[in-house]
Amino acid sequence: MNAQLKDGTDAQKLIIIGSLDQCPTKRFETTGSGDNLSYKVGSTMTSCQVFLAPAGDEIVSADYADSGFSYASSSDNPYRKNPIVWSK
């Protein structure tokens, strides 16, 4: 996940060590192990990312490019050139 400020630059991420009560996390359900590990069809994940904006500025959009997932080849990532974007 990334977030963008009004001028289009990326907002700074806040790194949280430990947990934050207001930011619950739920991992995808998996099946198998080792080389046979896979996500269960229909499982969901909930995650929270905190971004910072300077005083007087605001975060106007967020995008998801799935950069952390291991594809056979980076070019196989369908979100790399076409991320999912949410905006005001």
Side-chain angles (χ1 to χ4, degrees), residues 14-87:
L14 178 66
I15 298 172
I16 300 170
I17 298 173
S19 62
L20 182 64
D21 292 343
Q22 299 84 357
C23 196
T25 299
K26 176 185 169 204
R27 302 271 180 219
F28 286 114
E29 294 178 58
T30 58
T31 184
S33 62
D35 290 341
N36 294 317
L37 181 70
S38 63
Y39 296 125
K40 287 186 178 180
V41 174
S43 69
T44 60
M45 178 179 166
T46 302
S47 182
C48 181
Q49 183 74 49
V50 179
F51 294 94
L52 305 173
D57 205 344
E58 66 180 313
I59 294 173
V60 296
S61 64
D63 67 57
Y64 174 73
D66 198 25
S67 61
F69 194 85
S70 297
Y71 290 92
S73 168
S74 178
S75 63
D76 291 340
N77 180 346
Y79 303 105
R80 184 173 176 201
K81 292 182 182 174
N82 209 4
I84 299 169
V85 178
W86 298 269
S87 61

